[in-house]
Amino acid sequence: KRVYQEALATRLTDLIDAQDVFEYDTFAHGLISVKEPFVAALFGTTPEWLMTEVDPAVLSGGLGSRMLFISREDKRDFGRPFESRWHKEEVQQLRKLLLVGLEKRLLMSGEVEMTPDAQGTFDYWYERHHSRVVQFDLQHFVERKADHIVKIAIILTLSEGVSFVITGDHIE
């Protein structure tokens, strides 16, 4: 299990870091090239499962530092919100709107820019938080925390519409 996880973690890290081309030599198919790879994933599990089933070296190393883990301490079951609160027709309409919005975002392209206010907000945060000493097993994540903040700001910007401009509110 450990060898498999380490190999997978190494390949995913290489794929995430690839700028223009990711190349991987396979036994059966020879050299495989992927132009401008972009890795996006959403997983669901519990912190307990991660701690017992995934080698800590995988999470504390390069791959883990490129991930953003989100969890909640409240263990209450919130049920199925769509089924309990809305009529079937409303849910179908929301699904259609979601698909239209996703399609629009898939077709978007361009460079994302920061306003001077956003850059100032980010710089202020960076100066106050980046140099803090943290426990060793979190060090890799903390080193990339600034990258995560910018990536989340990009997601927030794009989720609001067709703007490619990050504002101070997105950074906050």
Side-chain angles (χ1 to χ4, degrees):
K1 180 164 103 175
R2 180 183 170 106
V3 173
Y4 172 76
Q5 286 181 2
E6 287 176 0
L8 178 62
T10 299
R11 294 291 176 245
L12 281 172
T13 302
D14 291 345
L15 183 62
I16 291 167
D17 288 348
Q19 296 296 318
D20 297 323
V21 177
F22 172 76
E23 295 184 335
Y24 182 64
D25 198 12
T26 67
F27 180 76
H29 304 287
L31 187 65
I32 295 175
S33 295
V34 178
K35 292 174 72 173
E36 298 179 8
F38 179 81
V39 178
L42 178 63
F43 302 103
T45 189
T46 63
E48 294 81 14
W49 184 89
L50 281 174
M51 301 312 284
T52 60
E53 298 300 321
V54 178
D55 185 352
V58 170
L59 292 178
S60 66
L63 181 61
S65 68
R66 288 162 176 80
M67 296 178 176
L68 179 61
F69 296 93
I70 300 171
S71 64
R72 65 182 170 117
E73 292 184 22
D74 186 353
K75 303 283 188 197
R76 288 181 295 154
D77 181 9
F78 290 100
R80 299 179 179 180
F82 292 122
E83 292 180 14
S84 62
R85 296 184 197 148
W86 296 338
H87 298 288
K88 190 174 183 177
E89 298 81 23
E90 291 174 312
V91 173
Q92 289 174 342
Q93 182 63 26
L94 285 172
R95 285 184 180 151
K96 286 178 186 175
L97 290 172
L98 178 61
L99 288 173
V100 168
L102 289 172
E103 186 175 298
K104 283 181 184 177
R105 276 146 188 92
L106 283 173
L107 299 173
M108 292 172 65
S109 67
E111 283 192 35
V112 176
E113 299 175 7
M114 272 195 201
T115 64
D117 178 50
Q119 189 65 56
T121 302
F122 177 79
D123 291 346
Y124 177 77
W125 172 87
Y126 190 87
E127 290 170 11
R128 294 191 69 212
H129 294 92
H130 191 66
S131 62
R132 288 186 179 175
V133 177
V134 297
Q135 62 192 61
F136 179 74
D137 59 338
L138 296 176
Q139 180 179 353
H140 297 290
F141 172 76
V142 171
E143 288 172 358
R144 292 196 183 267
K145 192 171 183 179
D147 295 335
H148 292 306
I149 288 172
V150 173
K151 289 176 183 178
I152 289 171
I154 291 170
I155 291 169
L156 292 172
T157 299
L158 297 177
S159 71
E160 292 175 351
V162 294
S163 173
F164 289 93
V165 179
I166 297 173
T167 67
D169 289 340
H170 296 128
I171 297 294
E172 287 179 9

